[in-house]
PDB file of all heavy atoms in Angstrom:
ATOM      1  N   SER A 204     -42.294  32.372  48.913  1.00 96.00           N
ATOM      2  CA  SER A 204     -43.301  32.277  47.903  1.00 96.00           C
ATOM      3  C   SER A 204     -44.675  32.228  48.538  1.00 96.00           C
ATOM      4  O   SER A 204     -44.802  31.772  49.696  1.00 96.00           O
ATOM      5  CB  SER A 204     -43.089  31.131  46.941  1.00 96.00           C
ATOM      6  OG  SER A 204     -43.237  29.904  47.640  1.00 96.00           O
ATOM      7  N   MET A 205     -45.598  32.622  47.771  1.00 97.00           N
ATOM      8  CA  MET A 205     -47.020  32.467  48.211  1.00 97.00           C
ATOM      9  C   MET A 205     -47.798  31.922  46.994  1.00 97.00           C
ATOM     10  O   MET A 205     -47.416  32.118  45.870  1.00 97.00           O
ATOM     11  CB  MET A 205     -47.644  33.793  48.679  1.00 97.00           C
ATOM     12  CG  MET A 205     -46.995  34.294  49.938  1.00 97.00           C
ATOM     13  SD  MET A 205     -47.810  35.789  50.620  1.00 97.00           S
ATOM     14  CE  MET A 205     -49.371  35.106  51.156  1.00 97.00           C
ATOM     15  N   GLY A 206     -48.870  31.255  47.331  1.00 97.00           N
ATOM     16  CA  GLY A 206     -49.652  30.701  46.248  1.00 97.00           C
ATOM     17  C   GLY A 206     -51.044  30.303  46.675  1.00 97.00           C
ATOM     18  O   GLY A 206     -51.436  30.460  47.814  1.00 97.00           O
ATOM     19  N   TRP A 207     -51.771  29.802  45.703  1.00 98.00           N
ATOM     20  CA  TRP A 207     -53.128  29.313  45.936  1.00 98.00           C
ATOM     21  C   TRP A 207     -53.199  27.877  45.494  1.00 98.00           C
ATOM     22  O   TRP A 207     -52.750  27.517  44.432  1.00 98.00           O
ATOM     23  CB  TRP A 207     -54.142  30.159  45.143  1.00 98.00           C
ATOM     24  CG  TRP A 207     -54.322  31.536  45.674  1.00 98.00           C
ATOM     25  CD1 TRP A 207     -53.684  32.666  45.320  1.00 98.00           C
ATOM     26  CD2 TRP A 207     -55.235  31.926  46.705  1.00 98.00           C
ATOM     27  NE1 TRP A 207     -54.121  33.740  46.037  1.00 98.00           N
ATOM     28  CE2 TRP A 207     -55.073  33.299  46.915  1.00 98.00           C
ATOM     29  CE3 TRP A 207     -56.182  31.225  47.518  1.00 98.00           C
ATOM     30  CZ2 TRP A 207     -55.796  34.012  47.867  1.00 98.00           C
ATOM     31  CZ3 TRP A 207     -56.894  31.960  48.465  1.00 98.00           C
ATOM     32  CH2 TRP A 207     -56.719  33.286  48.655  1.00 98.00           C
ATOM     33  N   TYR A 208     -53.816  27.071  46.343  1.00 98.00           N
ATOM     34  CA  TYR A 208     -54.119  25.685  46.084  1.00 98.00           C
ATOM     35  C   TYR A 208     -55.605  25.512  46.173  1.00 98.00           C
ATOM     36  O   TYR A 208     -56.302  26.328  46.797  1.00 98.00           O
ATOM     37  CB  TYR A 208     -53.409  24.769  47.098  1.00 98.00           C
ATOM     38  CG  TYR A 208     -51.893  24.697  46.958  1.00 98.00           C
ATOM     39  CD1 TYR A 208     -51.085  25.774  47.305  1.00 98.00           C
ATOM     40  CD2 TYR A 208     -51.306  23.551  46.506  1.00 98.00           C
ATOM     41  CE1 TYR A 208     -49.731  25.705  47.175  1.00 98.00           C
ATOM     42  CE2 TYR A 208     -49.935  23.470  46.395  1.00 98.00           C
ATOM     43  CZ  TYR A 208     -49.159  24.574  46.718  1.00 98.00           C
ATOM     44  OH  TYR A 208     -47.759  24.500  46.620  1.00 98.00           O
ATOM     45  N   ARG A 209     -56.064  24.458  45.577  1.00 98.00           N
ATOM     46  CA  ARG A 209     -57.538  24.182  45.709  1.00 98.00           C
ATOM     47  C   ARG A 209     -57.742  22.707  45.888  1.00 98.00           C
ATOM     48  O   ARG A 209     -56.941  21.850  45.447  1.00 98.00           O
ATOM     49  CB  ARG A 209     -58.265  24.673  44.488  1.00 98.00           C
ATOM     50  CG  ARG A 209     -57.951  23.990  43.167  1.00 98.00           C
ATOM     51  CD  ARG A 209     -58.692  24.641  41.972  1.00 98.00           C
ATOM     52  NE  ARG A 209     -58.425  23.935  40.725  1.00 98.00           N
ATOM     53  CZ  ARG A 209     -58.749  24.461  39.545  1.00 98.00           C
ATOM     54  NH1 ARG A 209     -59.353  25.635  39.462  1.00 98.00           N
ATOM     55  NH2 ARG A 209     -58.464  23.770  38.500  1.00 98.00           N
ATOM     56  N   GLN A 210     -58.843  22.374  46.499  1.00 98.00           N
ATOM     57  CA  GLN A 210     -59.212  20.975  46.763  1.00 98.00           C
ATOM     58  C   GLN A 210     -60.728  20.836  46.566  1.00 98.00           C
ATOM     59  O   GLN A 210     -61.521  21.476  47.230  1.00 98.00           O
ATOM     60  CB  GLN A 210     -58.819  20.589  48.178  1.00 98.00           C
ATOM     61  CG  GLN A 210     -59.016  19.112  48.405  1.00 98.00           C
ATOM     62  CD  GLN A 210     -58.320  18.680  49.724  1.00 98.00           C
ATOM     63  OE1 GLN A 210     -58.095  19.487  50.628  1.00 98.00           O
ATOM     64  NE2 GLN A 210     -57.984  17.398  49.827  1.00 98.00           N
ATOM     65  N   ALA A 211     -61.066  19.982  45.623  1.00 97.00           N
ATOM     66  CA  ALA A 211     -62.454  19.621  45.394  1.00 97.00           C
ATOM     67  C   ALA A 211     -62.738  18.364  46.196  1.00 97.00           C
ATOM     68  O   ALA A 211     -61.853  17.588  46.550  1.00 97.00           O
ATOM     69  CB  ALA A 211     -62.709  19.383  43.900  1.00 97.00           C
ATOM     70  N   PRO A 212     -64.028  18.093  46.511  1.00 92.00           N
ATOM     71  CA  PRO A 212     -64.416  16.951  47.297  1.00 92.00           C
ATOM     72  C   PRO A 212     -63.877  15.650  46.608  1.00 92.00           C
ATOM     73  O   PRO A 212     -64.056  15.406  45.395  1.00 92.00           O
ATOM     74  CB  PRO A 212     -65.920  16.946  47.284  1.00 92.00           C
ATOM     75  CG  PRO A 212     -66.235  18.416  47.151  1.00 92.00           C
ATOM     76  CD  PRO A 212     -65.198  18.967  46.210  1.00 92.00           C
ATOM     77  N   GLY A 213     -63.244  14.798  47.404  1.00 93.00           N
ATOM     78  CA  GLY A 213     -62.734  13.572  46.878  1.00 93.00           C
ATOM     79  C   GLY A 213     -61.465  13.654  46.109  1.00 93.00           C
ATOM     80  O   GLY A 213     -60.972  12.602  45.586  1.00 93.00           O
ATOM     81  N   LYS A 214     -60.887  14.817  45.968  1.00 96.00           N
ATOM     82  CA  LYS A 214     -59.682  14.986  45.238  1.00 96.00           C
ATOM     83  C   LYS A 214     -58.583  15.554  46.110  1.00 96.00           C
ATOM     84  O   LYS A 214     -58.810  16.124  47.145  1.00 96.00           O
ATOM     85  CB  LYS A 214     -59.949  15.895  44.031  1.00 96.00           C
ATOM     86  CG  LYS A 214     -60.867  15.342  42.972  1.00 96.00           C
ATOM     87  CD  LYS A 214     -60.906  16.232  41.782  1.00 96.00           C
ATOM     88  CE  LYS A 214     -61.758  15.611  40.663  1.00 96.00           C
ATOM     89  NZ  LYS A 214     -61.800  16.486  39.437  1.00 96.00           N
ATOM     90  N   GLN A 215     -57.358  15.390  45.637  1.00 96.00           N
ATOM     91  CA  GLN A 215     -56.189  15.875  46.353  1.00 96.00           C
ATOM     92  C   GLN A 215     -55.978  17.363  46.103  1.00 96.00           C
ATOM     93  O   GLN A 215     -56.381  17.876  45.051  1.00 96.00           O
ATOM     94  CB  GLN A 215     -54.957  15.079  45.908  1.00 96.00           C
ATOM     95  CG  GLN A 215     -53.742  15.223  46.824  1.00 96.00           C
ATOM     96  CD  GLN A 215     -52.662  14.162  46.568  1.00 96.00           C
ATOM     97  OE1 GLN A 215     -51.933  13.842  47.442  1.00 96.00           O
ATOM     98  NE2 GLN A 215     -52.617  13.698  45.328  1.00 96.00           N
ATOM     99  N   ARG A 216     -55.441  18.013  47.075  1.00 97.00           N
ATOM    100  CA  ARG A 216     -55.173  19.407  46.959  1.00 97.00           C
ATOM    101  C   ARG A 216     -54.094  19.648  45.872  1.00 97.00           C
ATOM    102  O   ARG A 216     -53.122  18.900  45.773  1.00 97.00           O
ATOM    103  CB  ARG A 216     -54.632  19.979  48.295  1.00 97.00           C
ATOM    104  CG  ARG A 216     -54.483  21.474  48.316  1.00 97.00           C
ATOM    105  CD  ARG A 216     -54.084  21.968  49.688  1.00 97.00           C
ATOM    106  NE  ARG A 216     -55.077  21.650  50.697  1.00 97.00           N
ATOM    107  CZ  ARG A 216     -55.018  22.038  51.963  1.00 97.00           C
ATOM    108  NH1 ARG A 216     -54.017  22.804  52.400  1.00 97.00           N
ATOM    109  NH2 ARG A 216     -55.974  21.673  52.791  1.00 97.00           N
ATOM    110  N   GLU A 217     -54.357  20.613  44.994  1.00 98.00           N
ATOM    111  CA  GLU A 217     -53.486  20.880  43.894  1.00 98.00           C
ATOM    112  C   GLU A 217     -53.099  22.304  43.810  1.00 98.00           C
ATOM    113  O   GLU A 217     -53.843  23.211  44.201  1.00 98.00           O
ATOM    114  CB  GLU A 217     -54.166  20.442  42.586  1.00 98.00           C
ATOM    115  CG  GLU A 217     -55.383  21.247  42.223  1.00 98.00           C
ATOM    116  CD  GLU A 217     -55.951  20.910  40.851  1.00 98.00           C
ATOM    117  OE1 GLU A 217     -55.312  20.107  40.132  1.00 98.00           O
ATOM    118  OE2 GLU A 217     -57.020  21.472  40.512  1.00 98.00           O
ATOM    119  N   LEU A 218     -51.938  22.510  43.302  1.00 98.00           N
ATOM    120  CA  LEU A 218     -51.456  23.938  43.086  1.00 98.00           C
ATOM    121  C   LEU A 218     -52.238  24.562  41.961  1.00 98.00           C
ATOM    122  O   LEU A 218     -52.426  23.984  40.887  1.00 98.00           O
ATOM    123  CB  LEU A 218     -49.994  23.921  42.727  1.00 98.00           C
ATOM    124  CG  LEU A 218     -49.403  25.294  42.349  1.00 98.00           C
ATOM    125  CD1 LEU A 218     -49.338  26.238  43.552  1.00 98.00           C
ATOM    126  CD2 LEU A 218     -48.035  25.109  41.723  1.00 98.00           C
ATOM    127  N   VAL A 219     -52.716  25.774  42.223  1.00 98.00           N
ATOM    128  CA  VAL A 219     -53.347  26.598  41.206  1.00 98.00           C
ATOM    129  C   VAL A 219     -52.390  27.581  40.611  1.00 98.00           C
ATOM    130  O   VAL A 219     -52.204  27.643  39.399  1.00 98.00           O
ATOM    131  CB  VAL A 219     -54.596  27.312  41.758  1.00 98.00           C
ATOM    132  CG1 VAL A 219     -55.263  28.192  40.671  1.00 98.00           C
ATOM    133  CG2 VAL A 219     -55.584  26.311  42.298  1.00 98.00           C
ATOM    134  N   ALA A 220     -51.761  28.358  41.502  1.00 98.00           N
ATOM    135  CA  ALA A 220     -50.810  29.352  41.014  1.00 98.00           C
ATOM    136  C   ALA A 220     -49.895  29.739  42.218  1.00 98.00           C
ATOM    137  O   ALA A 220     -50.342  29.675  43.366  1.00 98.00           O
ATOM    138  CB  ALA A 220     -51.489  30.597  40.502  1.00 98.00           C
ATOM    139  N   SER A 221     -48.706  30.078  41.925  1.00 98.00           N
ATOM    140  CA  SER A 221     -47.763  30.553  42.952  1.00 98.00           C
ATOM    141  C   SER A 221     -46.947  31.681  42.406  1.00 98.00           C
ATOM    142  O   SER A 221     -46.746  31.832  41.194  1.00 98.00           O
ATOM    143  CB  SER A 221     -46.904  29.437  43.469  1.00 98.00           C
ATOM    144  OG  SER A 221     -46.053  28.939  42.449  1.00 98.00           O
ATOM    145  N   ILE A 222     -46.333  32.456  43.345  1.00 97.00           N
ATOM    146  CA  ILE A 222     -45.489  33.541  42.978  1.00 97.00           C
ATOM    147  C   ILE A 222     -44.394  33.617  43.985  1.00 97.00           C
ATOM    148  O   ILE A 222     -44.592  33.542  45.193  1.00 97.00           O
ATOM    149  CB  ILE A 222     -46.251  34.884  42.817  1.00 97.00           C
ATOM    150  CG1 ILE A 222     -45.328  35.971  42.365  1.00 97.00           C
ATOM    151  CG2 ILE A 222     -46.948  35.239  44.133  1.00 97.00           C
ATOM    152  CD1 ILE A 222     -46.067  37.216  41.875  1.00 97.00           C
ATOM    153  N   THR A 223     -43.156  33.772  43.531  1.00 95.00           N
ATOM    154  CA  THR A 223     -41.999  33.826  44.404  1.00 95.00           C
ATOM    155  C   THR A 223     -41.586  35.220  44.743  1.00 95.00           C
ATOM    156  O   THR A 223     -42.123  36.190  44.213  1.00 95.00           O
ATOM    157  CB  THR A 223     -40.779  33.117  43.788  1.00 95.00           C
ATOM    158  OG1 THR A 223     -40.300  33.907  42.690  1.00 95.00           O
ATOM    159  CG2 THR A 223     -41.123  31.706  43.275  1.00 95.00           C
ATOM    160  N   ARG A 224     -40.667  35.369  45.651  1.00 92.00           N
ATOM    161  CA  ARG A 224     -40.131  36.651  46.021  1.00 92.00           C
ATOM    162  C   ARG A 224     -39.556  37.388  44.827  1.00 92.00           C
ATOM    163  O   ARG A 224     -39.645  38.621  44.783  1.00 92.00           O
ATOM    164  CB  ARG A 224     -39.081  36.474  47.105  1.00 92.00           C
ATOM    165  CG  ARG A 224     -38.438  37.711  47.574  1.00 92.00           C
ATOM    166  CD  ARG A 224     -37.369  37.426  48.639  1.00 92.00           C
ATOM    167  NE  ARG A 224     -37.948  36.983  49.893  1.00 92.00           N
ATOM    168  CZ  ARG A 224     -37.239  36.674  51.005  1.00 92.00           C
ATOM    169  NH1 ARG A 224     -35.940  36.782  50.951  1.00 92.00           N
ATOM    170  NH2 ARG A 224     -37.885  36.290  52.070  1.00 92.00           N
ATOM    171  N   ASN A 225     -39.064  36.645  43.843  1.00 92.00           N
ATOM    172  CA  ASN A 225     -38.524  37.218  42.657  1.00 92.00           C
ATOM    173  C   ASN A 225     -39.524  37.406  41.553  1.00 92.00           C
ATOM    174  O   ASN A 225     -39.154  37.651  40.369  1.00 92.00           O
ATOM    175  CB  ASN A 225     -37.389  36.327  42.121  1.00 92.00           C
ATOM    176  CG  ASN A 225     -36.209  36.211  43.097  1.00 92.00           C
ATOM    177  OD1 ASN A 225     -35.903  37.196  43.803  1.00 92.00           O
ATOM    178  ND2 ASN A 225     -35.585  35.075  43.144  1.00 92.00           N
ATOM    179  N   SER A 226     -40.835  37.255  41.865  1.00 93.00           N
ATOM    180  CA  SER A 226     -41.932  37.450  40.967  1.00 93.00           C
ATOM    181  C   SER A 226     -42.044  36.369  39.889  1.00 93.00           C
ATOM    182  O   SER A 226     -42.705  36.594  38.879  1.00 93.00           O
ATOM    183  CB  SER A 226     -41.829  38.858  40.335  1.00 93.00           C
ATOM    184  OG  SER A 226     -41.954  39.860  41.333  1.00 93.00           O
ATOM    185  N   ASN A 227     -41.394  35.240  40.099  1.00 96.00           N
ATOM    186  CA  ASN A 227     -41.623  34.128  39.164  1.00 96.00           C
ATOM    187  C   ASN A 227     -42.976  33.497  39.477  1.00 96.00           C
ATOM    188  O   ASN A 227     -43.293  33.281  40.663  1.00 96.00           O
ATOM    189  CB  ASN A 227     -40.523  33.090  39.301  1.00 96.00           C
ATOM    190  CG  ASN A 227     -39.174  33.607  38.901  1.00 96.00           C
ATOM    191  OD1 ASN A 227     -38.202  33.533  39.658  1.00 96.00           O
ATOM    192  ND2 ASN A 227     -39.065  34.174  37.720  1.00 96.00           N
ATOM    193  N   THR A 228     -43.714  33.211  38.459  1.00 98.00           N
ATOM    194  CA  THR A 228     -45.039  32.661  38.652  1.00 98.00           C
ATOM    195  C   THR A 228     -45.129  31.245  38.039  1.00 98.00           C
ATOM    196  O   THR A 228     -44.363  30.890  37.139  1.00 98.00           O
ATOM    197  CB  THR A 228     -46.132  33.506  38.013  1.00 98.00           C
ATOM    198  OG1 THR A 228     -45.826  33.679  36.622  1.00 98.00           O
ATOM    199  CG2 THR A 228     -46.179  34.871  38.668  1.00 98.00           C
ATOM    200  N   ASN A 229     -46.066  30.487  38.623  1.00 98.00           N
ATOM    201  CA  ASN A 229     -46.277  29.141  38.102  1.00 98.00           C
ATOM    202  C   ASN A 229     -47.751  28.866  38.177  1.00 98.00           C
ATOM    203  O   ASN A 229     -48.419  29.209  39.181  1.00 98.00           O
ATOM    204  CB  ASN A 229     -45.529  28.122  39.009  1.00 98.00           C
ATOM    205  CG  ASN A 229     -45.607  26.709  38.449  1.00 98.00           C
ATOM    206  OD1 ASN A 229     -45.620  26.534  37.240  1.00 98.00           O
ATOM    207  ND2 ASN A 229     -45.601  25.717  39.327  1.00 98.00           N
ATOM    208  N   TYR A 230     -48.334  28.309  37.124  1.00 98.00           N
ATOM    209  CA  TYR A 230     -49.737  28.064  37.031  1.00 98.00           C
ATOM    210  C   TYR A 230     -50.009  26.634  36.644  1.00 98.00           C
ATOM    211  O   TYR A 230     -49.288  26.026  35.891  1.00 98.00           O
ATOM    212  CB  TYR A 230     -50.401  28.986  35.960  1.00 98.00           C
ATOM    213  CG  TYR A 230     -50.331  30.443  36.279  1.00 98.00           C
ATOM    214  CD1 TYR A 230     -49.315  31.230  35.826  1.00 98.00           C
ATOM    215  CD2 TYR A 230     -51.383  31.081  37.001  1.00 98.00           C
ATOM    216  CE1 TYR A 230     -49.280  32.609  36.078  1.00 98.00           C
ATOM    217  CE2 TYR A 230     -51.334  32.395  37.266  1.00 98.00           C
ATOM    218  CZ  TYR A 230     -50.313  33.174  36.831  1.00 98.00           C
ATOM    219  OH  TYR A 230     -50.253  34.541  37.067  1.00 98.00           O
ATOM    220  N   ALA A 231     -51.093  26.167  37.206  1.00 98.00           N
ATOM    221  CA  ALA A 231     -51.602  24.856  36.704  1.00 98.00           C
ATOM    222  C   ALA A 231     -52.030  25.008  35.250  1.00 98.00           C
ATOM    223  O   ALA A 231     -52.571  26.057  34.828  1.00 98.00           O
ATOM    224  CB  ALA A 231     -52.788  24.388  37.553  1.00 98.00           C
ATOM    225  N   ASP A 232     -51.841  23.980  34.475  1.00 98.00           N
ATOM    226  CA  ASP A 232     -52.229  24.034  33.069  1.00 98.00           C
ATOM    227  C   ASP A 232     -53.682  24.375  32.856  1.00 98.00           C
ATOM    228  O   ASP A 232     -54.064  25.062  31.908  1.00 98.00           O
ATOM    229  CB  ASP A 232     -51.899  22.713  32.362  1.00 98.00           C
ATOM    230  CG  ASP A 232     -50.415  22.465  32.202  1.00 98.00           C
ATOM    231  OD1 ASP A 232     -49.652  23.457  32.225  1.00 98.00           O
ATOM    232  OD2 ASP A 232     -50.055  21.307  31.978  1.00 98.00           O
ATOM    233  N   SER A 233     -54.524  23.907  33.765  1.00 98.00           N
ATOM    234  CA  SER A 233     -55.957  24.103  33.659  1.00 98.00           C
ATOM    235  C   SER A 233     -56.420  25.567  33.796  1.00 98.00           C
ATOM    236  O   SER A 233     -57.510  25.899  33.453  1.00 98.00           O
ATOM    237  CB  SER A 233     -56.713  23.235  34.647  1.00 98.00           C
ATOM    238  OG  SER A 233     -56.311  23.531  35.965  1.00 98.00           O
ATOM    239  N   VAL A 234     -55.549  26.409  34.393  1.00 98.00           N
ATOM    240  CA  VAL A 234     -55.932  27.793  34.614  1.00 98.00           C
ATOM    241  C   VAL A 234     -55.111  28.800  33.841  1.00 98.00           C
ATOM    242  O   VAL A 234     -55.346  30.002  33.928  1.00 98.00           O
ATOM    243  CB  VAL A 234     -55.899  28.167  36.150  1.00 98.00           C
ATOM    244  CG1 VAL A 234     -56.669  27.136  36.923  1.00 98.00           C
ATOM    245  CG2 VAL A 234     -54.427  28.205  36.643  1.00 98.00           C
ATOM    246  N   LYS A 235     -54.125  28.335  33.124  1.00 98.00           N
ATOM    247  CA  LYS A 235     -53.261  29.249  32.354  1.00 98.00           C
ATOM    248  C   LYS A 235     -54.110  30.057  31.356  1.00 98.00           C
ATOM    249  O   LYS A 235     -54.965  29.519  30.653  1.00 98.00           O
ATOM    250  CB  LYS A 235     -52.183  28.470  31.623  1.00 98.00           C
ATOM    251  CG  LYS A 235     -51.076  27.962  32.483  1.00 98.00           C
ATOM    252  CD  LYS A 235     -50.039  27.204  31.689  1.00 98.00           C
ATOM    253  CE  LYS A 235     -48.895  26.696  32.561  1.00 98.00           C
ATOM    254  NZ  LYS A 235     -47.931  25.891  31.826  1.00 98.00           N
ATOM    255  N   GLY A 236     -53.881  31.333  31.328  1.00 98.00           N
ATOM    256  CA  GLY A 236     -54.619  32.230  30.475  1.00 98.00           C
ATOM    257  C   GLY A 236     -55.886  32.770  31.084  1.00 98.00           C
ATOM    258  O   GLY A 236     -56.469  33.664  30.509  1.00 98.00           O
ATOM    259  N   ARG A 237     -56.329  32.177  32.181  1.00 98.00           N
ATOM    260  CA  ARG A 237     -57.534  32.607  32.822  1.00 98.00           C
ATOM    261  C   ARG A 237     -57.315  33.222  34.208  1.00 98.00           C
ATOM    262  O   ARG A 237     -57.994  34.159  34.569  1.00 98.00           O
ATOM    263  CB  ARG A 237     -58.522  31.414  33.025  1.00 98.00           C
ATOM    264  CG  ARG A 237     -58.930  30.798  31.684  1.00 98.00           C
ATOM    265  CD  ARG A 237     -60.055  29.748  31.912  1.00 98.00           C
ATOM    266  NE  ARG A 237     -59.624  28.654  32.732  1.00 98.00           N
ATOM    267  CZ  ARG A 237     -60.205  28.332  33.883  1.00 98.00           C
ATOM    268  NH1 ARG A 237     -61.234  28.994  34.361  1.00 98.00           N
ATOM    269  NH2 ARG A 237     -59.731  27.285  34.565  1.00 98.00           N
ATOM    270  N   PHE A 238     -56.323  32.686  34.952  1.00 98.00           N
ATOM    271  CA  PHE A 238     -56.040  33.157  36.273  1.00 98.00           C
ATOM    272  C   PHE A 238     -54.729  33.930  36.279  1.00 98.00           C
ATOM    273  O   PHE A 238     -53.788  33.619  35.524  1.00 98.00           O
ATOM    274  CB  PHE A 238     -55.917  32.024  37.255  1.00 98.00           C
ATOM    275  CG  PHE A 238     -57.205  31.241  37.528  1.00 98.00           C
ATOM    276  CD1 PHE A 238     -58.334  31.499  36.811  1.00 98.00           C
ATOM    277  CD2 PHE A 238     -57.213  30.288  38.547  1.00 98.00           C
ATOM    278  CE1 PHE A 238     -59.504  30.773  37.093  1.00 98.00           C
ATOM    279  CE2 PHE A 238     -58.349  29.581  38.811  1.00 98.00           C
ATOM    280  CZ  PHE A 238     -59.512  29.851  38.050  1.00 98.00           C
ATOM    281  N   THR A 239     -54.657  34.930  37.129  1.00 98.00           N
ATOM    282  CA  THR A 239     -53.444  35.713  37.297  1.00 98.00           C
ATOM    283  C   THR A 239     -53.197  35.896  38.795  1.00 98.00           C
ATOM    284  O   THR A 239     -54.041  36.368  39.524  1.00 98.00           O
ATOM    285  CB  THR A 239     -53.575  37.108  36.637  1.00 98.00           C
ATOM    286  OG1 THR A 239     -53.822  36.916  35.221  1.00 98.00           O
ATOM    287  CG2 THR A 239     -52.223  37.849  36.759  1.00 98.00           C
TER     288      THR A 239
END
């Protein structure tokens, strides 16, 4: 799988979105509908 994480100053790194070899995707609730 590959994905994108993000980290803002003073905050922990969080998952933004990921995609598996089988094309399953996972998104953070905060970006659903906006990020692909």
Side-chain angles (χ1 to χ4, degrees):
S204 66
M205 295 185 69
W207 289 93
Y208 291 70
R209 67 186 181 189
Q210 187 168 24
K214 294 187 176 181
Q215 196 165 206
R216 187 175 300 185
E217 65 174 355
L218 173 70
V219 178
S221 64
I222 184 167
T223 70
R224 178 181 290 181
N225 298 325
S226 297
N227 296 126
T228 57
N229 187 34
Y230 295 92
D232 289 341
S233 60
V234 307
K235 287 180 179 177
R237 299 188 297 121
F238 292 8
T239 303

